Amino acid sequence: MVDGMLGRGQPLLELRGIEKHFGPVRALRRVDFTIEAGKVTALCGDNGAGKSVTVKIMSGIIQPDGGELVWRGRPVHLRTPRDAADLGIATVYQDLALCDNLDIVQNMFLGRERRRFGALDEGPMEQAARSTLADLRVTTVRSIRQPVGSLSGGQRQSVAVARAVLWNSQLMMLDEPTAALGVNQTALVLSLVRRLADQGYGVVIISHNLNDVFEVADRIAVLHLGTMVAQGEASEFDRQSVVELMTTGKVERADSGSLAANRASKEA
Amino acid sequence: MVAVAEAPTVLRASPVGAVVTGERPPQPYEHRRPTWGQRAQLGGQLWLVCVLAVVIAAFSLRSSSFLSQANWLNTALTATEVLLLAVGQTFVIITGGIDLSDGAVLGLSGMVAGWVMASLGGSSAGDPTLVVVAGLASGLVLGVAVGLVNGLLVARYRIPAFVVTLGTLGICTGIADLVANGQEISNLPGAVGTIGSTNLFGWIPIPALVAFVLTVAAAGLLRLTRFGEHTLALGDSRDAAVRAGIRDRSHLVRVYVLSSTLAAVSGMLVMTRLAVASPTSGSNDELNAIAAVVIGGASLFGGKGTILGSFLGTALISVLLTGLIIVNVPPFWQLIAVGAVLVAAVYVDQVRERRLR
């Protein structure tokens, strides 16, 4: 656990009225999005809905044309991925960005190795890697000196997440973390996602897979054609309503009161 | 009644519990650090040691003079010429590149050093120490300069390493001939030849000792330092390395500078051994160096390679080169033998890799 972590449910990162244009295309239209500490927020949307643009803005890869980002109550500007990383925002991309020929410890410390007398100081790095993996209860790996290339997909995902934890991230965005995984591996990753949130991290998962979303998410946000059409507690949604929101941006049914209220407040 | 009612509850409780927690209880990791053998990947190189032993045994049986002091010195000096090229080449090949220019840099650095020494008075110089130091320094500076050119063209302008270093191979070879109009430079201070022909305890030529010490240092650099780890990372996934904050371009430049500088050191050693600077020194050595590195288990696709492997590859090639002469095989067979070993080594490596997966 990182010092100064927020309590569960406090807003960690807020997007307020974020706009993004690419030429004449409005990729994001006044998007409001709140990520709370200690909760898993699922960001859903069809292809082209603006999920990746949103993630890229939150990770400092592209800059919004309007609106503001608020990190722990303070407006911030993320000009580079480094800015985001320095605040504690980590993005675990689908390809994971791991080096297969290096072992778990080397990958977790890549670019931030500890040194003593000019040489790598392996002892403390092993210690820190081991305790981080133990905190996350990633226990299926045989040895932390195993090359990452010999790990399963779920284990690789775990290493990528553990690296983000090790580097004092407080908000972790996972892009399609289960897309390439089988049933067991998916369960492994989802339980890891759950534990991250339980330990106080803010977690965003971007996923097409509604099974995963409903299994692990505390909050759900749905983008449709660049507009945030709904966001709220996962209990306010069901599969049907999420699919309708993703495909049409609307919910036909009358009983989803809070969603209607959400829309009404937006229109007001 | 109570017992019957409870039994199914207990039965159901354990699987449900397992599903809820969804994981095994935390277990201690293997605390065993890799042994020195594993760390040097000796397991992967063991077969190479065996092949080397078999080749040495075969030559010894065929010719009693193979294990003589004279042949050992000859083999050690042959190996010295290729060894430092192979060491530098290992770093370059691990990044996924190639350095075809290192043999030419070997020759040109010798010519530059020889020209500087001859210009400062040569064999009749007033202060031979100063002249030798100035000559060696200028040879090394030339190596650094060519490395910078190679590195910048590869890293910054993204020209394929094969093309860049093929270009500098030609340029360096041409300049080496221009320096003395294609002639050797023999007007060098006497100390140059003394360094190269001194054998410690009769068995250890100074050039071989220098090359060996630098090889051990390079092995430490690759295995134990951030520089080495970043080299391996870049070779496996440039994307991952960049996202981890590694400055890929400047790192690549440093790798090419390392390779060319070691080639220049090798050029100095060859010059001291022959006591002349020759423009043809080092020609085609780059091919033997690349063969040694690949025989040693490095992958031309990058991300894989060890200094120990390259050392053993160099040893095998050098033993083949000198041994075939000693058993009176016509020298044309040298190229054929090295070529066959190269292809066989890569095949063995692929088979082993497949079995490991």
Side-chain angles (χ1 to χ4, degrees), chain A residues 100-101 113 120 137-138 195, chain B residues 23 29 224 226 230 236 303:
Chain A
D100 285 347
N101 60 342
E113 298 84 358
L120 295 172
R137 283 194 262 165
V138 179
R195 266 199 303 281
Chain B
E23 73 245 350
Y29 298 101
L224 303 175
R226 185 185 282 182
H230 289 185
D236 185 79

Side-chain angles (χ1 to χ4, degrees), chain B residues 10-239:
Chain B
V10 172
L11 277 179
R12 227 180 305 125
S14 61
V16 168
V19 168
V20 169
T21 53
E23 73 245 350
R24 296 189 289 149
Q27 287 163 358
Y29 298 101
E30 257 181 51
H31 279 255
R32 204 152 39 84
R33 304 264 311 259
T35 64
W36 281 105
Q38 281 171 326
R39 202 160 264 200
Q41 298 186 359
L42 194 62
Q45 255 87 55
L46 202 59
W47 73 274
L48 200 50
V49 175
C50 295
V51 171
L52 190 57
V54 167
V55 170
I56 290 173
F59 282 138
S60 314
L61 288 177
R62 284 291 298 275
S63 166
S64 57
S65 59
F66 182 78
L67 288 178
S68 67
Q69 181 180 14
N71 189 50
W72 155 256
L73 291 175
N74 186 23
T75 309
L77 288 168
T78 307
T80 298
E81 186 168 337
V82 177
L83 182 58
L84 289 180
L85 300 189
V87 167
Q89 193 76 249
T90 308
F91 284 86
V92 174
I93 285 180
I94 287 174
T95 67
I98 197 152
D99 187 355
L100 296 172
S101 71
D102 56 8
V105 170
L106 188 160
L108 177 57
S109 63
M111 288 304 286
V112 167
W115 180 78
V116 167
M117 287 191 264
S119 306
L120 292 175
S123 53
S124 54
D127 185 352
T129 314
L130 190 68
V131 171
V132 170
V133 169
L136 297 184
S138 51
L140 296 180
V141 168
L142 181 273
V144 174
V146 177
L148 275 175
V149 170
N150 283 341
L152 285 173
L153 289 174
V154 170
R156 193 164 295 273
Y157 298 100
R158 302 245 170 186
I159 306 173
F162 188 95
V163 175
V164 169
T165 58
L166 188 61
T168 47
L169 160 67
I171 293 168
C172 290
T173 307
I175 298 176
D177 279 330
L178 281 175
V179 171
N181 208 12
Q183 304 296 308
E184 294 179 345
I185 299 175
S186 56
N187 181 20
L188 307 176
V192 172
T194 314
I195 300 173
S197 58
T198 304
N199 297 326
L200 297 177
F201 314 113
W203 288 84
I204 307 169
I206 286 184
L209 181 67
V210 172
F212 186 75
V213 168
L214 286 175
T215 301
V216 172
L221 183 66
L222 181 57
R223 205 128 275 285
L224 303 175
T225 70
R226 185 185 282 182
F227 180 86
E229 191 172 299
H230 289 185
T231 305
L232 284 158
L234 268 175
D236 185 79
S237 166
R238 189 162 177 166
D239 223 33

Side-chain angles (χ1 to χ4, degrees), chain A residues 132-147:
Chain A
T132 301
L133 288 169
D135 285 348
L136 295 173
R137 283 194 262 165
V138 179
T139 53
T140 58
V141 294
R142 199 155 31 82
S143 156
I144 54 171
R145 284 296 176 185
Q146 217 179 330

Side-chain angles (χ1 to χ4, degrees), chain B residues 218-302:
Chain B
L221 183 66
L222 181 57
R223 205 128 275 285
L224 303 175
T225 70
R226 185 185 282 182
F227 180 86
E229 191 172 299
H230 289 185
T231 305
L232 284 158
L234 268 175
D236 185 79
S237 166
R238 189 162 177 166
D239 223 33
V242 170
R243 282 198 225 157
I246 296 172
R247 300 203 314 205
D248 57 332
R249 289 179 187 173
S250 66
H251 192 90
L252 277 180
V253 171
R254 282 185 285 163
V255 167
Y256 281 90
V257 168
L258 176 66
S259 174
S260 284
T261 307
L262 287 173
V265 173
S266 195
M268 300 302 100
L269 296 178
V270 169
M271 181 183 62
T272 62
R273 174 162 60 101
L274 304 175
V276 298
S278 162
T280 58
S281 283
S283 57
N284 293 333
D285 276 358
E286 66 276 358
L287 297 180
N288 280 335
I290 292 166
V293 172
V294 172
I295 288 172
S299 164
L300 289 173
F301 297 109

Side-chain angles (χ1 to χ4, degrees), chain A residues 8 36 39 217-220 231-237 258:
Chain A
R8 177 174 156 88
E36 298 176 0
K39 291 190 181 179
D218 302 304
R219 293 169 49 78
I220 292 176
Q231 67 180 303
E233 297 298 314
S235 55
E236 298 167 13
F237 294 83
S258 58

Side-chain angles (χ1 to χ4, degrees), chain A residues 150, chain B residues 43-44 47 304 346-357:
Chain A
S150 68
Chain B
W47 73 274
K304 188 166 165 274
V346 171
Y347 177 72
V348 169
D349 198 51
Q350 282 181 356
V351 169
R352 213 182 51 208
E353 197 93 317
R354 238 173 280 147
R355 205 174 303 151
L356 284 179
R357 297 231 161 208

Side-chain angles (χ1 to χ4, degrees), chain A residues 18-268:
Chain A
I18 293 291
E19 291 269 342
K20 183 67 195 176
H21 310 260
F22 293 107
V25 181
R26 283 182 79 186
L28 294 180
R29 302 159 186 247
R30 306 196 47 146
V31 165
D32 295 327
F33 184 30
T34 304
I35 299 154
E36 298 176 0
K39 291 190 181 179
V40 178
T41 306
L43 182 58
C44 306
D46 209 348
N47 291 334
K51 297 188 305 271
S52 349
V53 178
T54 308
V55 170
K56 282 178 182 163
I57 286 174
M58 293 193 289
S59 53
I61 293 171
I62 58 177
Q63 277 69 54
D65 298 321
E68 63 173 355
L69 285 121
V70 179
W71 173 254
R72 301 176 61 141
R74 263 193 1 256
V76 288
H77 292 281
L78 306 178
R79 289 185 188 85
T80 64
R82 195 85 218 180
D83 289 349
D86 289 345
L87 284 178
I89 301 172
T91 314
V92 177
Y93 293 96
Q94 221 171 332
D95 64 4
L96 300 179
L98 298 173
C99 290
D100 285 347
N101 60 342
L102 301 183
D103 65 31
I104 295 174
V105 180
Q106 289 174 315
N107 265 289
M108 285 174 67
F109 277 93
L110 190 61
R112 304 194 185 184
E113 298 84 358
R114 294 187 192 161
R115 287 184 299 175
R116 208 165 117 228
F117 307 127
L120 295 172
D121 197 5
E122 300 285 355
M125 288 198 285
E126 272 185 26
Q127 214 63 51
R130 189 176 290 126
S131 74
T132 301
L133 288 169
D135 285 348
L136 295 173
R137 283 194 262 165
V138 179
T139 53
T140 58
V141 294
R142 199 155 31 82
S143 156
I144 54 171
R145 284 296 176 185
Q146 217 179 330
V148 161
S150 68
L151 300 178
S152 70
Q155 290 172 331
R156 291 166 57 85
Q157 191 85 43
S158 306
V159 171
V161 168
R163 175 165 69 180
V165 170
L166 186 70
W167 290 4
N168 286 339
S169 305
Q170 297 179 47
L171 168 59
M172 255 155 274
M173 291 185 277
L174 309 182
D175 186 11
E176 298 279 356
T178 61
L181 303 181
V183 177
N184 289 336
Q185 300 289 321
T186 298
L188 184 94
V189 169
L190 291 183
S191 68
L192 176 63
V193 166
R194 182 70 263 156
R195 266 199 303 281
L196 281 173
D198 291 346
Q199 292 180 9
Y201 298 97
V203 184
V204 178
I205 68 167
I206 295 96
S207 185
H208 273 103
N209 186 330
L210 290 186
N211 289 333
D212 294 356
V213 168
F214 278 97
E215 185 168 340
V216 81
D218 302 304
R219 293 169 49 78
I220 292 176
V222 185
L223 279 166
H224 180 252
L225 300 178
T227 307
M228 190 63 83
V229 289
Q231 67 180 303
E233 297 298 314
S235 55
E236 298 167 13
F237 294 83
D238 58 30
R239 233 161 264 257
Q240 183 63 31
S241 62
V242 172
V243 170
E244 279 177 25
L245 284 163
M246 279 168 62
T247 50
T248 66
K250 292 196 276 280
V251 192
E252 300 298 334
R253 289 163 27 192
D255 61 339
S256 31
S258 58
L259 295 177
N262 189 356
R263 280 213 308 283
S265 72
K266 280 207 136 179
E267 281 155 14

